[in-house]
Amino acid sequence: MTQHSDPVDRAMVLSRDGWGRIIALIAAADGDLAGAEDALGTALERGLRTWRSSGVPSNPEGWLYRVALNARRDVWKSSAARTSVALDPEIHDGAEAGADPAESIDTEALPDRRLELLAVCAHPDIDPGARPLLMLSAVMGMTGKQIASAMALPSATVAARLTRAKKRVAAMGVRFGSSDRLELEARLPDVREAIYGAFAIEWTHAVAQPREGMVGEALYLSRLLTQLCPGDGESHGLAALIHLSAARFPARRGGSGEFVPLNDQDPQSWDQSLIAEGESHLREVHRCAGIGRFGLEAAIQLLHMAGVRSGITDWPMLRRLHDHLDRIAPSLGGSISRAAVIAEIDGPGAGLAVLDTIAADDSRAGAFQPAWVLRGYLLARLDQPENSAVAYRRAIELTADPGEREYLARKPTPTSQKLPGAGRV
């Protein structure tokens, strides 16, 4: 992002939805995301200067789009670009260079290219670690500094990744109109993974509350995906999982910042509006007649939350859901969660046997904190306090959060201990 796109000024005149629409429309011609951002930054600067004296136009986003498009057309018509850029008539129709910005374009009447923009951000030639950063920058208009703060990454690292990714997109010469619908839909899994990855990073690093913006951006992107792909059940599953997870943020910490596991959380402090949205997206999953990884994880989370509310958890149903999840999308985190459910149904010995199998089959388990938390819990229930203490010490070594370390250091007794929270988020 350039110095012209100050986030405070940008927020005064352009919605997050509008930012992504305009960037997608302008960058669709040549795939130059950095150029599109520069052009929109220039338009924002001019708009703020002009509107202070003449007032905000009735269609500010259309005004900004025309000014930004004119700025890009100046670049496209330059001698350096004259022979290398093919203009898209659909995008530029009615937007002649030099046209009066007062005759603003209705951006809502133009093709919505945001799904294609998301697909470009998830292009297989883009480094996976840069994909969520690119989405937050291009689709959401977040600055590198904002992204770095939200994702707990050094600003220099974010800047370098974004620069490389944008250069890569420009070098590929991607024109959004060149991809057919099947190709876009084929990239939806990568789009969903990038959105989920951004949220999961925030979930891991947030303490009492999520850093400003990050969870909101993940919620926004998940909603946007369901709006652009209303018939895709797994996109609704992703939105359901993120909404239900985000709803519990206020309850994750006590008044002094101490860690509060799911079973000890006060349901009254959960965000009820986010829960309602999550449940709505889960209903859409079933309407789409197909449930995938994210839909299953959302259903698992909702069942756990229902158990906390009522005091009665449907463990057999949770096991069926985990068994299905293990078949279609096996993961270490999912396997550990399944072991915890089996322990509740068949006893701690059965859960420990499953844990031992996981440890033998997956070398990552030795450095996976939830595995050691569950092991400590099950050993305590089996009246093996010394072995339980060893497992908890290893879990503490693998825990970065001070509040969670303090919680684990207390090592509740077997009779008072509750199932530790498990899962991907």
Side-chain angles (χ1 to χ4, degrees), residues 28-49:
D30 61 357
D32 189 346
L33 295 176
E37 289 175 340
D38 284 345
L40 183 51
T42 298
L44 284 163
E45 183 182 45
R46 179 177 170 184
L48 289 172
R49 185 174 60 249

Side-chain angles (χ1 to χ4, degrees), residues 213-355:
M214 188 66 244
V215 166
E217 311 314 337
L219 287 167
Y220 172 84
L221 286 173
S222 69
R223 291 188 199 111
L224 173 61
L225 200 57
T226 62
Q227 293 166 11
L228 297 174
C229 306
D232 182 58
E234 189 64 337
S235 293
H236 284 289
L238 172 66
L241 178 60
I242 291 178
H243 280 74
L244 292 172
S245 299
R248 296 194 289 105
F249 258 108
R252 295 178 71 210
R253 302 286 163 168
S256 302
E258 67 274 14
F259 172 75
V260 181
L262 173 59
N263 287 322
D264 291 333
Q265 291 175 11
D266 178 7
Q268 296 301 316
S269 63
W270 294 342
D271 188 314
Q272 300 304 314
S273 63
L274 288 179
I275 292 174
E277 288 189 63
E279 292 174 336
S280 175
H281 283 294
L282 261 182
R283 287 192 291 272
E284 288 299 303
V285 171
H286 293 288
R287 181 188 65 79
C288 294
I291 187 166
R293 164 200 163 186
F294 290 119
L296 285 169
E297 291 190 4
I300 288 169
Q301 180 144 182
L302 189 60
L303 267 181
H304 276 298
M305 294 169 73
V308 173
R309 280 202 189 99
S310 66
I312 303 174
T313 300
D314 190 344
W315 297 111
M317 176 58 75
L318 279 170
R319 180 167 185 171
R320 288 194 289 273
L321 291 173
H322 272 291
D323 287 345
H324 191 184
L325 179 62
D326 191 56
R327 285 193 297 271
I328 67 170
S331 71
L332 181 56
S335 296
I336 300 303
S337 295
R338 179 174 174 272
V341 172
I342 289 174
E344 293 301 310
I345 297 173
D346 298 330
L352 194 60
V354 174
L355 265 186

Side-chain angles (χ1 to χ4, degrees), residues 183-223:
E183 182 178 339
L184 294 175
E185 291 179 351
R187 289 190 195 162
L188 278 177
D190 287 328
V191 172
R192 290 191 293 262
E193 286 293 340
I195 295 172
Y196 178 77
F199 178 78
I201 289 173
E202 173 57 28
W203 181 272
T204 300
H205 290 285
V207 185
Q209 291 291 336
R211 283 175 295 279
E212 183 178 357
M214 188 66 244
V215 166
E217 311 314 337
L219 287 167
Y220 172 84
L221 286 173
S222 69
R223 291 188 199 111

Side-chain angles (χ1 to χ4, degrees), residues 54-101:
S54 60
V56 178
S58 59
N59 181 11
E61 290 178 9
W63 189 101
L64 290 166
Y65 171 61
R66 182 180 288 283
V67 173
L69 180 57
N70 285 341
R72 283 305 288 158
R73 287 178 68 95
D74 288 342
V75 174
W76 291 328
K77 289 186 175 183
S78 67
S79 58
R82 192 184 304 276
T83 60
S84 61
V85 176
L87 302 184
D88 188 331
E90 186 181 54
I91 296 175
H92 302 96
D93 183 34
E96 296 301 325
D100 184 357

Side-chain angles (χ1 to χ4, degrees), residues 204-205 332 363-375 390-402 404-406 408:
T204 300
H205 290 285
L332 181 56
S363 60
R364 298 174 300 164
F368 192 57
Q369 186 256 23
W372 290 101
V373 173
L374 180 58
R375 183 175 292 276
V390 170
Y392 274 123
R393 280 198 296 271
R394 179 58 177 151
I396 292 169
E397 292 172 358
L398 295 169
T399 303
D401 175 55
E404 192 170 350
R405 280 202 305 268
E406 182 180 345
L408 293 173

